[in-house]
Amino acid sequence: MTRPLRWTVTIAATIGAFLLCLWLGHSVSFGWLPHADSDRWALAAAFAAVCAGVVGAAVGWWAGQSEPAPAVRRDHRVTQTAKASGRARTLQVGGSQTERDTPAPQAGDEASVVRQEADASGHAEVRQIGRDQHLPGA
């Protein structure tokens, strides 16, 4: 469910909870409740506001959650060719460069075709990474 739709559900649930509790608070009569109609409406409105706040907080927490990460493509294909000379440095990453916040994919998780070629001379450095590179941190 998209985030705007979740917030729409949150607002509708909060308003619905308020109206339901307002009706319930005004229509139920116990001996210890006030008998004047204006006092009953005031008490019902306070009850409805508290209940709607609880519902809004709970459903709002759900609506504020981040969306799940997109699925990794199964047909991951990488072709990397690098040529460096002198003191050049080359870094090529065939996946994403992220901080490690999810477990790294295990071997065989996705079909992957990686072709890497490098040509370096002198003091040149070539780094080629065919999958994701998880940076230190988090």
Side-chain angles (χ1 to χ4, degrees), residues 40-104:
R40 289 177 59 108
W41 275 113
L43 185 62
F47 171 70
V50 169
C51 291
V54 169
V55 168
V59 182
W61 172 84
W62 165 73
Q65 296 298 306
S66 62
E67 298 194 21
V72 176
R73 288 182 34 210
R74 293 285 190 216
D75 61 342
H76 185 80
R77 297 176 186 272
V78 177
T79 301
Q80 295 177 329
T81 304
K83 187 175 222 180
S85 62
R87 296 194 176 271
R89 292 180 139 189
T90 303
L91 170 63
Q92 296 175 321
V93 179
S96 64
Q97 283 186 297
T98 61
E99 292 183 356
R100 183 179 296 275
D101 56 352
T102 57

Side-chain angles (χ1 to χ4, degrees), residues 104-130:
Q106 302 299 317
D109 280 355
E110 64 181 41
S112 187
V113 176
V114 178
R115 190 176 132 250
Q116 296 176 323
E117 295 178 22
D119 184 12
S121 62
H123 295 286
E125 177 184 330
V126 176
R127 283 184 65 200
Q128 293 176 320
I129 302 167

